[in-house]
Amino acid sequence: MTLSHDDSIHLFRNSAPYINAHRAKTFVIMFGGEAVVDENFPRLIQDIALLHSLGMRIIITHGARPQIDERLRLRGLQGQFVDGVRVTTKETLECVKDAAGSLRSQIEALLSMGLPNSPMHGARIRVCSGNLVISRPIGVQNGIDFEHTGVVRRIDVEGIQDQLDDGSIVLLSPMGYSATGEVFNLSHEDVATQAAIACSADKIITLSELDGLFVEQKMLRTVELSHLQSLIAQDLVRAESTCLSAMVAGVAAGIDRTHCVSYKSDGALLKELFTRDGVGTLVMQNHYEQLRDATIDDVGGILKLIRPLEESGVLVKRSRERLENEIDLFTVIERDGMIIACAALYTYEDKSGEIACVATHSEYRGKSRGERLLDALKAKARAQDLKHLFVLTTVTAHWFLEQGFVEMKIDTLPESRKQMYNYTRNSKVFKLSL
């Protein structure tokens, strides 16, 4: 489908805040050898090059398992795995070096494309690879000698940062080198995770055959690490194992956010990074506070929270009885047993929802708690198949504009809500399409 001129302008304008937010940030992008043979791979590399041209500092790590297996087959050799880890014999190591070197050359060639009819025309991208990963052997485990299979011992952070500062994309293959001059076969998720941690990356982006992480048939869009670990413990998560392990290890080690998107879907990487809701799964750090649905026990805490705002006229006054009746509509953030933020979602006949009673304790403002509440209410709205959200406000108009809402006329309100509009308050109406 070809975008119209107006659609292209709208898309570019909506992407601009994310371009600004991601500029100069360090992203580790990880994919297995399966992605390289997918028909969408050239377009994926073009999108990675686009990220680089927009000012993002890119570290690429790639796997090579199917390519290694193919070279073993051609030599009449049989691959051996123990608990999913390859035993790398001397003969296997030659296949590893051959496969990794070939893939590195293929990726570098795609990043070097600059034909006039290609998206990277005039990009002048430099790609750096080399002995940036120092490794050690796994050794003998449970009686099995893994020989030339290794793990990351150290990342040459200074070398990587020098190349990133020089404007290069850093490409790390699944091989490491030891101080004794040996070569070891590494897992690409280990390389990606250790590189991200050592370089204090802002994101790890894993590229998977799947669109993201799934529980049953439902994709997880945003999930905190503690919740994800609980789901994993219950064996409820369906995901590509290398992506899942890298995401969990990365966030557990302090990486703020890790993503999983499909390498098969054209443009998925760009949609994940440059649209409000993304298309894959985002795993984030655990929040010290708990965001959850309100219960009847929270009525007192909510009343205490909103009373100062009611007295100042920012919020419409609610009685305890009304709040008790509507408590199922509220979402709260609790910290050490105290309700420090709340918001409610009311639904209407035209598939719309009203966000109301948005409040944050005065001592806990400015830490994206409002954004967390809004994200939770948007998720609830989508689960109820609502088409848009609206809000009436007298003093927080700018905040809702920053969240993507647009100002509308009172006549656009659902009929039943329009009849309850208080002209004395003269609230402004803002709307967000879902």
Side-chain angles (χ1 to χ4, degrees):
M1 183 180 69
T2 303
L3 290 176
S4 69
H5 178 68
D6 289 342
D7 287 340
S8 298
I9 292 173
H10 179 72
L11 178 63
F12 190 70
R13 285 173 174 166
N14 284 344
S15 299
Y18 302 100
I19 295 173
N20 292 329
H22 296 326
R23 186 178 292 116
K25 298 297 177 63
T26 300
F27 296 166
V28 174
I29 301 176
M30 178 194 107
F31 50 82
E34 296 80 3
V36 181
V37 297
D38 189 83
E39 62 179 9
N40 189 54
F41 187 68
R43 292 186 289 273
L44 174 62
I45 290 295
Q46 290 172 359
D47 290 345
I48 292 175
L50 176 58
L51 299 183
H52 175 266
S53 70
L54 291 172
M56 277 134 262
R57 297 157 62 89
I58 304 298
I59 301 170
I60 298 174
T61 68
H62 71 86
R65 178 169 286 192
Q67 290 80 7
I68 296 169
D69 289 340
E70 175 64 13
R71 283 160 173 78
L72 287 170
R73 186 187 65 79
L74 291 174
R75 297 188 184 193
L77 301 173
Q78 186 70 37
Q80 180 185 357
F81 291 87
V82 177
D83 296 329
V85 178
R86 187 188 298 275
V87 176
T88 308
T89 63
K90 182 178 179 181
E91 294 79 10
T92 302
L93 183 61
E94 294 305 311
C95 296
V96 171
K97 292 191 287 187
D98 184 18
S102 176
L103 286 178
R104 184 175 66 243
S105 297
Q106 182 180 349
I107 295 168
E108 289 174 347
L110 287 172
L111 286 168
S112 301
M113 283 180 58
L115 295 175
N117 62 345
S118 78
M120 289 180 288
H121 176 54
R124 301 291 188 271
I125 293 173
R126 293 191 299 273
V127 184
C128 168
S129 55
N131 58 340
L132 298 168
V133 180
I134 294 85
S135 60
R136 63 171 178 80
I138 288 180
V140 178
Q141 296 188 5
N142 297 321
I144 304 295
D145 186 356
F146 283 82
E147 300 189 43
H148 295 279
T149 300
V151 293
V152 175
R153 180 179 181 182
R154 181 170 60 85
I155 299 292
D156 183 357
V157 176
E158 184 178 357
I160 291 176
Q161 296 293 3
D162 284 347
Q163 295 300 327
L164 293 175
D165 291 342
D166 196 40
S168 298
I169 289 178
V170 174
L171 177 60
L172 302 178
S173 295
M175 293 194 303
Y177 307 90
S178 72
T180 58
E182 294 178 279
V183 181
F184 291 99
N185 175 30
L186 310 177
S187 69
H188 70 287
E189 63 267 29
D190 185 29
V191 175
T193 304
Q194 296 306 317
I197 295 169
C199 296
S200 300
D202 297 280
K203 292 180 184 291
I204 297 176
I205 303 171
T206 66
L207 300 170
S208 165
E209 182 179 10
L210 302 175
D211 291 329
L213 311 182
F214 288 79
V215 172
E216 296 180 344
Q217 300 302 313
K218 184 178 179 180
M219 186 173 74
L220 297 170
R221 300 304 297 270
T222 301
V223 58
E224 294 185 3
L225 178 61
S226 59
H227 185 207
L228 178 59
Q229 289 173 324
S230 174
L231 293 172
I232 293 171
Q234 299 174 67
D235 198 24
L236 296 177
V237 179
R238 180 167 60 91
E240 199 167 295
S241 60
T242 55
C243 294
L244 183 61
S245 63
M247 295 174 78
V248 170
V251 175
I255 305 298
D256 283 338
R257 296 185 170 201
T258 61
H259 300 254
C260 180
V261 295
S262 171
Y263 60 71
K264 291 179 169 292
S265 176
D266 187 21
L269 179 60
L270 302 182
K271 292 175 185 175
E272 178 70 6
L273 292 175
F274 298 117
T275 61
R276 183 174 297 278
D277 298 315
V279 294
T281 297
L282 165 66
V283 179
M284 66 176 67
Q285 298 252 2
N286 300 329
H287 288 281
Y288 182 59
E289 302 121 6
Q290 181 185 10
L291 186 149
R292 57 175 175 78
D293 292 336
T295 69
I296 195 67
D297 294 331
D298 298 319
V299 170
I302 295 175
L303 285 172
K304 185 177 180 180
L305 173 67
I306 65 177
R307 187 173 296 120
L309 296 172
E310 292 177 343
E311 292 174 350
S312 65
V314 173
L315 294 179
V316 176
K317 289 188 176 181
R318 282 172 168 78
S319 66
R320 173 178 284 273
E321 182 181 7
R322 178 186 174 186
L323 188 56
E324 289 176 351
N325 290 333
E326 298 178 348
I327 195 64
D328 291 341
L329 307 179
F330 277 75
T331 299
V332 298
I333 296 178
E334 178 187 4
R335 182 186 179 100
D336 287 340
M338 182 175 75
I339 304 300
I340 63 168
C342 71
L345 176 64
Y346 296 81
T347 58
Y348 290 88
E349 64 277 359
D350 63 343
K351 290 287 185 180
S352 67
E354 179 184 5
I355 293 178
C357 201
V358 181
T360 303
H361 194 284
S362 58
E363 296 180 5
Y364 295 97
R365 291 173 187 160
K367 297 292 185 180
S368 301
R369 294 180 177 89
E371 287 84 349
R372 289 182 64 202
L373 280 170
L374 180 58
D375 287 343
L377 294 185
K378 287 195 293 185
K380 282 187 175 183
R382 291 191 183 96
Q384 297 178 54
D385 198 29
L386 301 185
K387 303 305 180 186
H388 56 264
L389 296 172
F390 67 88
V391 62
L392 279 69
T393 182
T394 56
V395 298
T396 56
H398 280 204
W399 186 83
F400 283 102
L401 287 171
E402 291 169 1
Q403 308 311 311
F405 285 74
V406 294
E407 188 170 0
M408 306 294 287
K409 295 185 179 298
I410 296 170
D411 289 342
T412 62
L413 291 172
E415 191 61 36
S416 58
R417 184 63 181 89
K418 197 185 326 180
Q419 293 174 5
M420 295 187 292
Y421 182 82
N422 186 341
Y423 285 90
T424 303
R425 284 179 59 81
N426 195 27
S427 299
K428 293 186 176 182
V429 178
F430 295 89
K431 188 175 181 180
L432 175 71
S433 297
L434 296 175

